[in-house]
Amino acid sequence: MTAPDSDPTTDPEALRRRAEKALRTARDRTHTLTTCVDEPDLTAQHSPLMSPLVWDLAHIGNQEEQWLLRAVGGRDALRPEIDSIYDAFEHPRAERPTLPLLAPAEARGYVHEVRGRVLDVLERIELRGAPLVDAGFAFGMIAQHEQQHDETMLITHQLRRGPAALTAPPPPDTADGAALPEEVLVPGGPFTMGTSAEPWALDNERPAHHRLVPAFHIDTTPVTNGAYQRFIADGGYTERRWWTADGWAYIQEHGLAAPLFWRREGGQWLRRRFGVTEPVPPEEPVVHVSWYEADAYARWAGRRLPTEEEWEKAARHDPESGRSRRYPWGDEDPTPVHANLGQRHLRPAAAGSYPLGASPLGVRQLIGDVWEWTSSDFLPYPGFRAFPYREYSEVFFGPAHKVLRGGSFAVDEVACRGTFRNWDLPVRRQIFAGFRTARDAS
């Protein structure tokens, strides 16, 4: 991919190859996630928080048809009668199993037919002349959409009861976390937040604008399971003073006393991870905690969650040049030496891993491993413009949703960059979310 300061439309054939690769990579992952279990597991609803896997599969195809075949390619609709069935805003997840969904074989045939026609459109269309096609934006948007649903399906696999269906090697054992400083000072001053040049950036990442951020300290690595266990042992879930009013009410109502999927047995903490029960590894970043839990831990530690602008400055700002990078390590696309992405591993890497992915100031694992809760509400940037539809970002703006940054081991690189913004309700625990803490420099 080109650096952000260059013109991404100068090589249309390279853009075409990039778009095709992103689409094929996403489809290969979708295939893995929907062929590793039998049909009953595809059609079942494993949690009211999630859709049946077969709904996600056909929804992926339907969105691809609507945007790439109809809107971009000008083709006639293949299956207009299913548009409403796979409209995520028309049908909440809890009611989707009651809909007349395509059966697994029919859904596979549908997404296969759509993809064949999409590749034909991609081969013929000019990737310039309109915002939807400039630099292949719509193709990148759909590749990101599919990867986001792949992450959603991976969450469903984590919630599914039964034997393991997915396997992956452990992350590389290269951590030197014990030797790292606990925190890093990020100097105060202006920096450029967001982007106006990243060709496949989504609307809520735009436009680039200046922020003045006072100096602050931020954790060198995400908070670990071991550190979180100390919070639990010190009465973290029983001390009202660490919690917001809403957070305290929530954990009391649901009887929460540990991260999701943890249990105490025989004097040790165990977790269930994709069908395998194992001891909780103390050196890994904690995952499956809500915003309420992350915020309570930070208060207990005498710290706070970083704001969204603090997180992005720690991840992108280069103090020497004064510019904002695409990623902590620079402008080049992620590789396996930079970050734990793309479901290569089914767990976070140990805190301190990926030294080649560190920011200029030495902050590690800002990309990949776990989504990181911030203290910020999900709000538009100055000059925000919804594109290409309001329902992607605009309808979620407001204090109900908190911003997460950085991606997780379940995120593909096409849907993860230094400007990428995720958001969710503060109660959410099934997502692959952890956090790191911060404090004022003064």
Side-chain angles (χ1 to χ4, degrees), residues 38-306:
D38 294 331
E39 185 165 318
D41 273 331
L42 292 176
T43 57
Q45 185 173 47
H46 299 283
S47 166
L49 296 172
M50 311 304 290
S51 309
L53 292 167
V54 74
W55 185 93
D56 285 290
L57 175 62
H59 171 77
I60 286 167
N62 185 251
Q63 287 292 291
E64 188 168 329
E65 183 196 343
Q66 289 193 52
W67 285 105
L68 299 186
L69 288 189
R70 303 182 201 172
V72 172
R75 306 287 181 90
D76 292 337
L78 289 177
R79 300 289 299 267
E81 75 280 5
I82 68 172
D83 287 355
S84 66
I85 296 174
Y86 296 101
D87 185 329
F89 287 88
E90 187 171 338
H91 302 288
R93 287 175 174 176
E95 73 175 39
R96 290 172 190 172
T98 66
L99 301 173
L101 304 179
L102 300 184
E106 190 176 8
R108 290 190 182 104
Y110 170 61
V111 299
H112 179 75
E113 182 177 6
V114 169
R115 176 53 57 84
R117 297 180 183 224
V118 162
L119 293 178
D120 182 63
V121 169
L122 177 60
E123 187 66 27
R124 299 168 183 268
I125 198 164
E126 289 284 331
L127 298 180
R128 59 184 179 183
L132 198 58
V133 295
D134 283 346
F137 173 81
F139 297 91
M141 178 185 74
I142 289 299
Q144 291 177 81
H145 174 265
E146 182 162 354
Q147 288 286 3
Q148 288 168 326
H149 273 272
D150 287 342
E151 182 176 13
T152 298
M153 288 194 283
L154 190 62
I155 293 169
T156 302
H157 275 280
Q158 169 64 10
L159 289 161
R160 182 185 67 87
R161 294 286 181 173
L166 294 164
T167 60
D173 185 14
T174 58
D176 58 351
L180 295 172
E182 290 187 1
E183 62 180 7
V184 169
L185 173 65
V186 181
F191 91 106
T192 301
M193 187 173 186
T195 180
S196 297
E198 185 76 29
W200 289 359
L202 303 173
D203 59 4
N204 62 65
E205 302 170 65
R206 300 173 181 271
H209 58 287
H210 294 297
R211 294 281 180 103
L212 182 63
V213 180
F216 65 98
H217 292 87
I218 192 167
D219 290 341
T220 305
T221 70
V223 170
T224 64
N225 291 321
Y228 201 84
Q229 287 173 25
R230 292 191 288 276
F231 166 65
I232 298 173
D234 196 42
Y237 282 85
T238 60
E239 289 280 351
R240 166 69 182 84
R241 57 183 168 148
W242 306 130
W243 300 82
T244 64
D246 289 344
W248 182 250
Y250 186 77
I251 70 162
Q252 293 296 298
E253 178 185 355
H254 296 277
L256 304 185
L260 186 61
F261 307 115
W262 284 29
R263 74 172 190 266
R264 187 80 171 165
E265 185 176 298
Q268 68 174 337
W269 284 106
L270 302 177
R271 71 178 180 186
R272 179 168 59 85
R273 183 178 61 85
F274 298 109
V276 175
T277 298
E278 61 191 13
V280 172
E283 71 282 357
E284 283 186 13
V286 67
V287 66
H288 296 302
V289 289
S290 67
W291 183 90
Y292 291 137
E293 291 164 295
D295 179 70
Y297 174 96
R299 293 167 188 260
W300 169 82
R303 298 169 69 83
R304 58 177 174 79
L305 295 178

Side-chain angles (χ1 to χ4, degrees), residues 421-434:
R421 307 172 76 197
N422 191 8
W423 65 94
D424 216 324
L425 299 171
V427 300
R428 289 289 184 250
R429 304 196 330 144
Q430 81 273 21
I431 60 177
F432 301 113

